[in-house]
Amino acid sequence: MSAVEPASGVLAGCEEAFAASAGLFAAACAQLAAPEAAVLTHSQLEDLLATRMREVTRQLFQDHLTLRARDEARREEVVDCAGRERTRIERGRRRTLATVFGKVTVTRIAYRGTGVGDLHPADAVLNLPEGTHSHGLARLAAIEASRGSFADACERINAVTGAGVGHRQVQELAVGAAVDIGAFYDALVPAPCTDTTPLVLSVDGKGVVIRPEALRADTARAAAAKGGNAMKTRLASGEKHSRKRMATLGAVYDAEPAPRGVDDVIPDPDRHGPVHAAPPEPRRGPKATSKWLTGPGPARPGDPVECGQSGGDHRGQPQRRLRRPLRRLRRSTRT
């Protein structure tokens, strides 16, 4: 029987740097090997491993940051964009980073100077955000907020990550993630297509209850003339809202024709019995490509319908490509 040789060199340094993570992983293995784990259901094991492995991953993140801090060397020259030099350093400067695994502490060297702010080159190497929350949390906030309310997004993020993000923080992260939407669409280059590819303009609106100071002038006057509602939680019979604004969004996109029949959209139930052969695979409908969205706001003021039509003008030769979709839009658009 051969004995396990002790680790040496790089491997030994790795074991030392990540000893805390290894300890948490060993504790999780011991808990799974205990007799009590033999009677757990699969859902209980899922919950146990989700909690344990999240903490192991968070500790791995922390151990790696600690290793970076230990090996960070002083830079010979550090200057800002204005050419002002930082001549002094302070080791051990810390900041908290909330990640999708939990909160970690980033320790790095601060470069200081007289009458100027401190610089942290290690923050640039890590591409740290200006705030506390990581880009991964910001991405989750943007994705979940687009699917529903901020409250639902907050609940979903905390259920998946255990980060403990609050409602206001989710809202701020989603708003911050949308700051470059205008520049993104301005720089978007549509995929090449022919004149026969339909260019679709779609516009829809929804009345949204907003704060009184944000009402349009006519709606605000109607609300003031009406006075307060008789009930706090709902409208009484005959009461008008006078507290909504129409949120309108416009979309412009290319869509290659995809002819389909009735059975492709609504299958015939009489043809799916046991005596009939399996129904053919339904043909899929057109797929939107090179989508361009617009809506009212500080970055894009004006009517979304006009903005959407002007967005279609950038697709090239709109007179030939927009004529048919616009006629269809006039017949089907609800006002």
Side-chain angles (χ1 to χ4, degrees):
M1 182 176 180
S2 60
V4 178
E5 297 182 358
S8 59
V10 177
L11 183 59
C14 178
E15 291 181 350
E16 180 183 355
F18 294 92
S21 304
L24 289 176
F25 182 76
C29 293
Q31 186 173 4
L32 291 174
E36 294 81 2
V39 297
L40 296 179
T41 65
H42 85 278
S43 60
Q44 290 173 326
L45 285 172
E46 283 180 332
D47 294 339
L48 173 63
L49 286 173
T51 303
R52 282 288 195 170
M53 291 301 102
R54 186 185 299 125
E55 179 56 27
V56 170
T57 309
R58 189 206 67 81
Q59 190 60 50
L60 279 169
F61 203 142
Q62 181 62 71
D63 289 345
H64 174 76
L65 293 176
T66 303
L67 182 62
R68 282 196 179 199
R70 186 197 69 183
D71 296 339
E72 184 182 7
R74 178 174 182 175
R75 297 171 182 260
E76 295 183 0
E77 184 181 18
V78 174
V79 296
D80 58 21
C81 57
R84 294 173 296 187
E85 188 177 6
R86 306 302 192 270
T87 57
R88 305 188 304 275
I89 67 168
E90 178 185 339
R91 295 186 179 274
R93 183 69 67 84
R94 302 187 177 194
R95 62 168 292 184
T96 300
L97 178 67
T99 72
V100 294
F101 313 116
K103 292 183 178 181
V104 294
T105 302
V106 183
T107 306
R108 68 273 200 242
I109 297 176
Y111 292 80
R112 310 182 63 181
T114 303
V116 292
D118 298 342
L119 296 179
H120 307 86
D123 289 3
V125 176
L126 284 167
N127 193 26
L128 294 182
E130 294 183 1
T132 304
H133 300 88
S134 69
H135 296 313
L137 278 178
R139 185 186 306 113
L140 276 178
I143 293 173
E144 297 299 334
S146 65
R147 295 173 176 170
S149 66
F150 286 121
D152 292 340
C154 181
E155 181 179 356
R156 176 63 179 166
I157 292 172
N158 290 329
V160 172
T161 67
V165 183
H167 181 280
R168 183 181 295 274
Q169 295 167 328
V170 171
Q171 183 175 354
E172 292 174 351
L173 289 173
V175 172
V179 69
D180 294 324
I181 286 181
F184 170 80
Y185 281 114
D186 288 340
L188 183 65
V189 178
C193 61
T194 64
D195 292 341
T196 60
T197 302
L199 180 61
V200 183
L201 170 62
S202 176
V203 181
D204 198 3
K206 169 69 175 177
V208 179
V209 178
I210 62 173
R211 296 180 62 86
E213 61 269 18
L215 291 172
R216 297 187 186 276
D218 293 341
T219 310
R221 282 193 294 268
K226 182 193 68 173
N229 293 331
M231 301 180 182
K232 292 184 178 180
T233 58
R234 64 185 179 89
L235 296 176
S237 177
E239 283 187 335
K240 302 294 184 181
H241 284 282
S242 296
R243 55 195 181 118
K244 289 186 176 182
R245 283 185 64 175
M246 185 63 69
T248 308
L249 294 178
V252 179
Y253 57 90
D254 299 326
E256 292 292 343
R260 295 189 293 171
V262 176
D263 290 339
D264 295 320
V265 181
I266 306 177
D268 186 357
D270 296 335
R271 298 179 57 185
H272 297 170
V275 298
H276 299 283
E281 186 71 19
R283 291 172 290 186
R284 298 187 177 276
K287 183 178 180 181
T289 59
S290 301
K291 185 181 294 185
W292 183 87
L293 301 175
T294 185
R300 292 186 182 277
D303 185 2
V305 179
E306 297 178 357
C307 292
Q309 193 158 353
S310 64
D313 293 342
H314 295 294
R315 296 297 177 91
Q317 299 178 339
Q319 293 80 9
R320 288 204 298 258
R321 297 190 58 204
L322 274 175
R323 188 175 298 123
R324 180 174 299 176
L326 279 176
R327 284 205 300 267
R328 295 179 60 187
L329 180 65
R330 293 192 189 100
R331 291 200 302 266
S332 60
T333 299
R334 293 175 296 175
T335 57

